[in-house]
Amino acid sequence: ISIFTSTKSLRTPSNLLVVNLAVSDFLMMFAMGPPMVYNCMKQTWVLGPLWCQLYAAFGSLFGCVSIWSMTMIAFDRYNVIVKGLSAKPMTNGAALTKIAIIWVLSLIWTAAPFFGWNRYVPEGNMTACGTDYINRTWKSKSYIFMYALFVYWTPLLLIIYSYFFILKAVSAHEKSMREQAKKMNVASLRSSEAQNQSTECKLAKVALMTISLWFMAWTPYLIINFAGVMGKGKITPLATIWGSLFAKANAVYNPIVYAISHPKYQEAMYKKYPSLACGGGASANDSQSVASEATQNTAEKA
């Protein structure tokens, strides 16, 4: 958050979404971590029913915000790389509007259990709280189903859709560049061909990492929730708490995917916090992100 907000070259509309993701992830770990550690030491929930509800609500709120921030980031990359020069550039106003919509919709879904549509209760080994997925009344089941549709299936499908066409567009562009270079009887049209990995490979790895970490983080918790409301299988306290931890650990994965893999971020981190730099900082040739590089290539082609 410090680097993105204090570095002029990183204060772009697109990176506002990344900052929003970082803020949400930080609040997730701040609100979820200490209470759970304290209750684990006491071996049960000792903070009372009100804090149990607030704990579960905060987890739901920040989880929703993080997931939809990831989705908007994927859409932004889709807009830049797939549409290219025909795309309408994102403005600060548009980015802030998207962020506001994300928070409002997330608050609506978070507030629903306070008004009788499902409820927040202790879960697992009684050291954390979450939605009631053991109650099999239709009111509780319908919330879990609709919540899963809004917070899991829809963002997941949108992210897969975005990255599928991103990879397709970059692959087609790379092929066109190679064919043009062959016609001109040169090794490459790129000045950066000496890099160890092509743009296509870098992008493929980021896409694969994004979707894989998504599945790793949220699928176990989804399965546990569905098993609970459907009454299928045996749900143990240990299994439920592991599912909850995997989902909340997504707040740790996100900075790795969206920040540390960002070349300009690495360069800024090397300057501001040399002891934290990854690989000794970014070189001048690597000073642009995958998305911006693809945009530049599209412009050159045009």
Side-chain angles (χ1 to χ4, degrees), residues 104-169:
V104 169
L105 291 177
S106 299
L107 278 169
I108 291 173
W109 281 101
T110 300
F114 288 110
F115 296 94
W117 194 16
N118 203 287
R119 59 178 181 163
Y120 294 124
V121 295
E123 62 178 349
N125 56 1
M126 305 295 286
T127 58
C129 295
T131 52
D132 186 1
Y133 49 81
I134 304 299
N135 190 333
R136 294 170 191 168
T137 63
W138 177 245
K139 183 180 287 188
S140 292
K141 291 168 69 173
S142 62
Y143 177 81
I144 296 296
F145 292 145
M146 294 302 297
Y147 188 80
L149 179 65
F150 175 78
V151 181
Y152 182 89
W153 293 111
T154 302
L156 176 61
L157 293 175
L158 290 175
I159 287 175
I160 292 175
Y161 171 88
S162 300
Y163 279 113
F164 172 80
F165 283 102
I166 287 172
L167 292 175
K168 186 177 179 181

